[in-house]
Amino acid sequence: MKIAFVQIYPEFGQIEKNVNRAIAFMQSMPADIYVLPELFATGYVFESRAELMSLAEPAESGFTAVTLGQFARANNAGIVYGFPEKAPDGLFNSCAFVDGINRPVVYRKLHLFYKEKQLFDPGNTRLKIVHFREARLGMMICFDWIFPEVARRLALMGAQVICHPVNLVMPYCQNAMTTRSIENRVFTITANRIGVENRGGLECRFTGQSQVTDCKGNVLYCASSDKEETFVADINVVDADDKNINELNNIWEDRRIDFLEPGDR
Ligand code: ACM
């Protein structure tokens, strides 16, 4: 199965332009599953909740969902992408999986980073597994990486590939995702953006280096920190179903959860 990330430099507030740009990159690289960055169509540094609200979209009927769904359907692909979600119960930093056939599957970021806490509502959806052809996909968003229980829970729920839209400004995530792959024996694909946003007194420099790691922790590719690019990895998703490290160690069976939960909180 071919999994791809798209690393782009979004132009703040230009939803249509950014969606079309991402589509042009996807068109240039045939794949089965694409992962786009967090908030890839809007940009990241919102000056106020009102501005965020003006750029947020409903998960099913928004321009981004509909346009990506059409691309996915026409190309027999699935796409995971980040977007600001306008919902009846709040305003969320969300990602969705679309295939253009089924309703989008939405995950709302559980762990908000820094000023996101002043703009978004904290996610209120549970972690989900998406079944797409022969693959089982998990979704998490950016700062969720620093909470290893997110990837662990997704892996325990059966995820073979963790799709991870991000807007990274710190340098630690790529190493952490290698570890998430090693400790859970899953593929991870982190799609970051590049460029700078300086708005309302906050400057964010996004670090690129989108990365694909296999289920043994080998980095298959790490992108540049300053160029737009797409990368496709051809993987066997079933490799992630083997949780044996050797003939005596199995990472699921060897867990000592009886001594670790729940008394150690
Ligand atoms: C982040 O969660 N966007 C760092």
Side-chain angles (χ1 to χ4, degrees):
M1 192 164 230
K2 291 193 167 126
I3 60 171
F5 65 69
V6 177
Q7 173 170 297
I8 55 169
Y9 190 158
E11 199 172 309
F12 186 87
Q14 302 298 313
I15 294 178
E16 213 170 304
K17 198 166 168 185
N18 294 327
V19 170
N20 289 333
R21 187 159 186 75
I23 285 178
F25 273 99
M26 291 192 284
Q27 248 154 1
S28 71
M29 285 271 188
D32 301 296
I33 296 163
Y34 294 95
V35 185
L36 310 182
E38 178 182 14
L39 301 169
F40 85 97
T42 54
Y44 181 81
V45 184
F46 302 97
E47 289 188 358
S48 63
R49 187 160 159 118
E51 183 181 65
L52 167 60
M53 183 66 92
S54 73
L55 291 166
E57 298 184 86
E60 289 192 31
S61 56
F63 170 83
T64 304
V66 170
T67 310
L68 292 182
Q70 284 165 352
F71 176 87
R73 188 182 181 123
N75 292 278
N76 195 21
I79 306 172
V80 175
Y81 65 97
F83 71 109
E85 182 189 358
K86 191 187 289 185
D89 54 340
L91 195 47
F92 302 99
N93 184 344
S94 297
C95 68
F97 171 88
V98 288
D99 63 7
I101 297 164
N102 300 292
R103 294 174 71 175
V105 181
V106 176
Y107 163 70
R108 296 172 173 167
K109 188 175 187 177
L110 289 175
H111 304 97
L112 296 174
F113 178 70
Y114 193 43
K115 303 225 168 163
E116 290 172 28
K117 288 192 164 197
Q118 298 165 349
L119 294 165
F120 292 95
D121 297 310
N124 58 4
T125 47
R126 300 196 76 85
L127 298 170
K128 291 176 185 154
I129 299 297
V130 176
H131 294 258
F132 180 65
R133 300 215 217 115
E134 72 266 33
R136 299 186 306 272
L137 312 176
M139 297 186 283
M140 58 185 230
I141 302 176
C142 207
F143 194 51
D144 284 333
W145 69 263
I146 211 168
F147 303 89
E149 58 270 31
V150 178
R152 169 53 55 102
R153 177 56 42 199
L154 287 169
L156 284 169
M157 289 166 74
Q160 297 158 316
V161 182
I162 293 181
C163 302
H164 185 211
V166 300
N167 272 190
L168 294 168
V169 291
M170 296 196 295
Y172 315 115
C173 173
Q174 287 82 357
N175 276 343
M177 291 312 288
T178 306
T179 304
R180 299 292 96 83
S181 278
I182 295 168
E183 67 201 3
N184 295 297
R185 292 180 83 81
V186 293
F187 294 89
T188 56
I189 178 161
T190 295
N192 196 11
R193 59 162 288 175
I194 58 164
V196 185
E197 273 178 24
N198 191 337
R199 308 188 71 255
L202 178 66
E203 181 179 273
C204 285
R205 292 183 172 269
F206 302 96
T207 53
Q209 298 169 81
S210 299
Q211 180 171 285
V212 187
T213 307
D214 76 10
C215 56
K216 294 189 174 146
N218 302 301
V219 175
L220 301 180
Y221 184 68
C222 183
S224 68
S225 56
D226 58 357
K227 290 184 187 56
E228 294 187 304
E229 54 181 300
T230 308
F231 175 76
V232 181
D234 204 348
I235 63 166
N236 263 328
V237 288
V238 290
D239 290 351
D241 294 334
D242 178 6
K243 303 300 181 189
N244 295 314
I245 302 220
N246 55 46
E247 66 274 24
L248 297 180
N249 290 111
N250 177 288
I251 57 161
W252 280 180
E253 289 162 15
D254 287 359
R255 287 181 309 134
R256 302 296 308 276
I257 47 178
D258 40 342
F259 283 92
L260 296 170
E261 291 174 357
D264 295 344
R265 283 172 204 278

